[in-house]
Amino acid sequence: MIGFSQLNEFLFATGGESSGIIKVWDLRMAKEFINDLHYHKQPVMQIEWSPKSEFLFMSSASEGEIFVWDQSKCGEEQGRCDYQDGPPEMIFP
């Protein structure tokens, strides 16, 4: 599964591994992904980027969960009490 940003020609995200990991890539640095998101429990079936923000995208997986992600939060630290809520990039489970 792959989803391309509609507003940033360099950004795309991939999923589909059995682990449920989503990897975000930048074509300008194609040797390594720029972010990996671990929260789905099963393979990602769909990735759709927002037509209004180059940082927002949605993912759905075969377990039936849908998450909204914000790439602008990549690298933000979070407190220990927030770990169970998911990574800082996940803005809506």
Side-chain angles (χ1 to χ4, degrees), residues 14-75:
T14 61
E17 298 177 22
S18 61
S19 62
I21 295 173
I22 297 170
K23 293 180 181 172
V24 181
W25 301 81
D26 185 324
L27 287 173
R28 296 167 289 192
M29 301 175 284
K31 290 186 179 184
E32 285 195 36
F33 55 87
I34 59 172
N35 197 7
D36 58 336
L37 303 164
H38 303 254
Y39 213 71
H40 283 292
K41 296 169 190 72
Q42 293 182 10
V44 173
M45 305 300 286
Q46 187 170 6
I47 298 171
E48 290 290 330
W49 287 79
S50 169
K52 305 243 184 223
S53 170
E54 71 179 87
F55 300 108
L56 297 178
F57 69 92
M58 176 207 77
S59 63
S60 63
S62 54
E63 79 262 10
E65 294 182 320
I66 297 172
F67 301 134
V68 177
W69 305 93
D70 184 350
Q71 272 305 111
S72 70
K73 296 179 179 287
C74 179

